[in-house]
Amino acid sequence: MGVMAQSVLLTLAGAAGGGDAGVHPIADAVAGPWWISLIPALPMVAAVVCLFMNFGRVRSKAPAWVVVSLLAAAFGITLLGFQQWNSGDGSPVVVKAWDWIHASWGGGGDGKTFVANVSFYMDGLSWLWMLFVTGLATMIGLYASEYMAGDKGYARFFAAFALFVVSMACLVMGDNLVLLYLGWEGVGLCSYLLIGYFYQKPAAVAAAKKAFIVNRIGDLGLALGIFLIYTTFGTVEYATLFALVGDGHAPVDVAGNAVTGWVTWAIPCLLMLGAFGKSAQLPLYVWLPDAMEGPTPVSALIHAATMVTAGVYLIARMFPMFAGLDGGHFALSIVAWVGTLTALLAATIGMAQFDIKRIMAYSTVSQLGYMFAGLGFLTTTGAAFHVFTHAFFKATLFLACGAVMHGFAGQLDLRKLSGLWSQPGWKIVTLAMFIGCINLAGVPFTAGYFSKDMILAEAFVTPGKAAMGWILLATAGLTAYYTFRVFFRVFVGPVHFEAGDEAHSHGDDDHGHGHGEEHHHDPGQHGDHHHPHFHPHPPGWAINLVLATLAIGSVVAAGTYFIDKDHHGWVGGLLHRSTASYTSPYGHHDAAHAMAVADVVIVPVADAHGGEAVAEAAHAGAGGFLGMDPHKVMYYVSAVVGLIGILTAAFLHGPRGLGGLLIGNRTEAATSRADGLLPMLGPIPKWAQHKWYVDELYHAIIVAPLWVLSNIFHLIDRVLVDGLVNVAGWAPTALAKRMRVTQDGRMHTYATGMGVGLAAVLIVVLVVVWSTGGNG
Amino acid sequence: VIGVLAAELVPAAATAGLAPGIGLYHYLLVSAVMFGLGVVGFLSRRNLIIMFLCTELMFQAVGLALIAFGKFHGNHSGEVFVIFVLTIAAAEAALALALVVLLFKRRETLDAQAWSLLKG
């Protein structure tokens, strides 16, 4: 470890020799304790043990206990390491596990090296991510121990679950881009495995393939971005890389040459493409809603709380590339617009869905849009804070929806469920759902309220971003509406329920929602569509415990906003001690601090060609919200917008009485006041329900042409290529058929042939001798 | 064609000390006739023993031609070669006749047409 850090420092000294001693927002790395390597190692052990349990046909809950206990241990180590790091000076800690790739080639002055070790780079960003990844994985693993009970693939589920945590740890903790890429692909693989967990269900298999293929597009961008970073800078290790690009001087490569030209915007744009794929942003968001085919704990952990935030992590980690190398913030302005439009589009789709898990999926896409918009507005603190709060409340929401799905035999249609609060055993679920909903809707003093406000305020503060701010503000209203639409329809009001499809499929391998022996039904006792003997199955202690803990976590997350106010919350304090806090080298770091919400501000940027300054320094003065200071007024504005959304939902979907805030009038599950008003909007609700036909559009412009093209190639292959091969085989056969008559097996035929041949040769020889005059 | 060859070879034979009036041409003619008879016999007869005898006839025709050439050129290697060929032919005759006996035992006939299993 010591050797590693030393060599890095030496490299830094050599590389940065040409630069001046300007601001050093990214501290040099120091060696850390070895046991930090246990954070990814323990889940790896769990994954391997579960794999053998799967082969060994273990039918008990042992896989769950192995995974939960080892993940809890990993969480404990993360906490311990974080405490130790937090009490230090905040320099990044580097822990080297072992040498992985160390290649050198070329000689003389042209020699190159490529180093990518299995070692971990722990700064505020990595710690933040690892804390909620291991913490939530432990909780959700505990939830899954009950949720997945009775499923044949129990051990397989937990093997993939633990492998996901390993991959996520690689992605977040890796100290170089190659290890990040390994983790990036690893989480993609686990996502694929877990979406397609019910592999006998065609929809799940299709969704798994869709997720994997759509992610390929983004991953191509990331891979090209990493290649370009290596060819441009000559290193992929963070410590070296950020000394070159994030150390207060103009970007240089390892040889000390200035980096200019097209790569300055191409690198962030390629990385951005990778982030869009993994974090389900336009135009690559289509895989995430379909990913809800996986078991609900997977939806909660991978497709809401952790994996989909990897894109945010990538941009925050590579922030010196986006804010420093790309001086014009070309990529970041795309990120801002894409995030804003994704937030709006996904929210409008979510409003029109009836499947509560799908609504949560679109909500995740929408909230990820907020995070990307935050990155685009240069508030990495806002984006990371929203990641952090969202991880808690969205996991809570998903797990509450999962408990409903589990208890009502896979029923997710909000028209077929009502009044859970009034049914025995559903109190904790309803309360957890309520806490998740108020967070998502941005009710004042909730965690979601603070984190969303930070992004919204920054939109109005940053010059030229006000249009996006208005869109995001409107989206906040829509979010509140669709969130409470679910709550008012499903969790309060008159008691009504219809069982889902899984009530008569006990024992099938393709369902993970076993109901336990005490709820076993004889399939012959009821028809296919009516379940007269169906009893809802309230969640057990594990699910209730996890829901309660996460709900409390969602509330507590709000409190972190009041810690470390200098850096805009505890998360801001962590981000301040990470690569995400990078300030453009040409800026006034200290002056900017005094006025910005985020640590990062737009500052005059020296153009590579002329050195002309972009006059964006007037940060606080230029932006504003209707002439008021956005930082102050946004607290009230977003609260009002959120409450309007909630009241609209109550009016349209709320039950009669206090549950509907006295303005609702719903008396049955299937219909509400909204149904009478929807025809006024014409075909728009139908379009939104069909997801604005984006899937159909992609099918028409990408899938269908590729299908036609592949059929043409198939035809060419069949006719031309196969034809040539067949001719090559057929011609000798046909020739041999003609020739074989000469081989009749009779000695005389052969002897005659020899004689005739001999005579022919003789005649030829004699003719030659004759014609050359006989002197040969 | 053969006449042309003879016209050239007869005077040479005289100088080589052969019997007067009999040159290399005559030996070669006899050899060619013997060889031709052997070939015709081999192709036209179906009895394995006769066919074998015909091959022996072709052997001796070639041997005669070799001796004649050897004498003509005053070189003894032709004769040496023939002695080797005769030795091998003797061994080969024993082998071939033994094969014929075995083949006869299998088919109870000496007809060569009885053996045509190797047809394509």
Short mmCIF file of all heavy atoms in Angstrom, two decimals, chain A residues 756-766:
data_model
loop_
_atom_site.label_atom_id
_atom_site.label_comp_id
_atom_site.label_asym_id
_atom_site.label_seq_id
_atom_site.Cartn_x
_atom_site.Cartn_y
_atom_site.Cartn_z
N VAL A 756 -4.06 -49.00 -73.41
CA VAL A 756 -4.42 -47.87 -74.29
C VAL A 756 -3.59 -46.66 -73.90
O VAL A 756 -3.05 -45.95 -74.77
CB VAL A 756 -5.93 -47.58 -74.19
CG1 VAL A 756 -6.28 -46.28 -74.88
CG2 VAL A 756 -6.72 -48.73 -74.78
N GLY A 757 -3.44 -46.45 -72.59
CA GLY A 757 -2.65 -45.30 -72.14
C GLY A 757 -1.21 -45.42 -72.60
O GLY A 757 -0.61 -44.45 -73.09
N LEU A 758 -0.66 -46.60 -72.43
CA LEU A 758 0.73 -46.83 -72.83
C LEU A 758 0.91 -46.57 -74.32
O LEU A 758 1.85 -45.89 -74.76
CB LEU A 758 1.11 -48.27 -72.50
CG LEU A 758 2.58 -48.59 -72.43
CD1 LEU A 758 3.25 -47.83 -71.32
CD2 LEU A 758 2.79 -50.09 -72.27
N ALA A 759 -0.06 -47.09 -75.09
CA ALA A 759 0.01 -46.91 -76.55
C ALA A 759 -0.07 -45.44 -76.88
O ALA A 759 0.67 -44.93 -77.75
CB ALA A 759 -1.13 -47.68 -77.21
N ALA A 760 -0.96 -44.73 -76.18
CA ALA A 760 -1.11 -43.30 -76.47
C ALA A 760 0.19 -42.57 -76.20
O ALA A 760 0.65 -41.76 -77.03
CB ALA A 760 -2.24 -42.72 -75.62
N VAL A 761 0.83 -42.86 -75.04
CA VAL A 761 2.10 -42.21 -74.70
C VAL A 761 3.15 -42.55 -75.77
O VAL A 761 3.89 -41.68 -76.23
CB VAL A 761 2.57 -42.65 -73.30
CG1 VAL A 761 3.99 -42.17 -73.04
CG2 VAL A 761 1.63 -42.12 -72.24
N LEU A 762 3.16 -43.82 -76.15
CA LEU A 762 4.14 -44.25 -77.16
C LEU A 762 3.96 -43.50 -78.46
O LEU A 762 4.92 -43.00 -79.05
CB LEU A 762 3.97 -45.76 -77.38
CG LEU A 762 5.19 -46.50 -77.86
CD1 LEU A 762 6.29 -46.41 -76.81
CD2 LEU A 762 4.84 -47.96 -78.14
N ILE A 763 2.71 -43.38 -78.86
CA ILE A 763 2.44 -42.68 -80.12
C ILE A 763 2.87 -41.24 -80.03
O ILE A 763 3.52 -40.69 -80.92
CB ILE A 763 0.94 -42.80 -80.48
CG1 ILE A 763 0.64 -44.24 -80.91
CG2 ILE A 763 0.56 -41.83 -81.58
CD1 ILE A 763 -0.83 -44.57 -80.97
N VAL A 764 2.56 -40.61 -78.88
CA VAL A 764 2.95 -39.21 -78.71
C VAL A 764 4.47 -39.09 -78.83
O VAL A 764 5.00 -38.22 -79.52
CB VAL A 764 2.43 -38.66 -77.36
CG1 VAL A 764 3.07 -37.33 -77.03
CG2 VAL A 764 0.92 -38.52 -77.40
N VAL A 765 5.19 -40.00 -78.12
CA VAL A 765 6.65 -39.93 -78.14
C VAL A 765 7.17 -40.09 -79.57
O VAL A 765 8.03 -39.32 -80.04
CB VAL A 765 7.26 -41.02 -77.23
CG1 VAL A 765 8.77 -41.15 -77.45
CG2 VAL A 765 6.97 -40.69 -75.78
N LEU A 766 6.61 -41.05 -80.27
CA LEU A 766 7.08 -41.29 -81.62
C LEU A 766 6.79 -40.11 -82.53
O LEU A 766 7.62 -39.72 -83.35
CB LEU A 766 6.44 -42.56 -82.18
CG LEU A 766 7.01 -43.86 -81.56
CD1 LEU A 766 6.25 -45.08 -82.06
CD2 LEU A 766 8.49 -43.99 -81.88
#
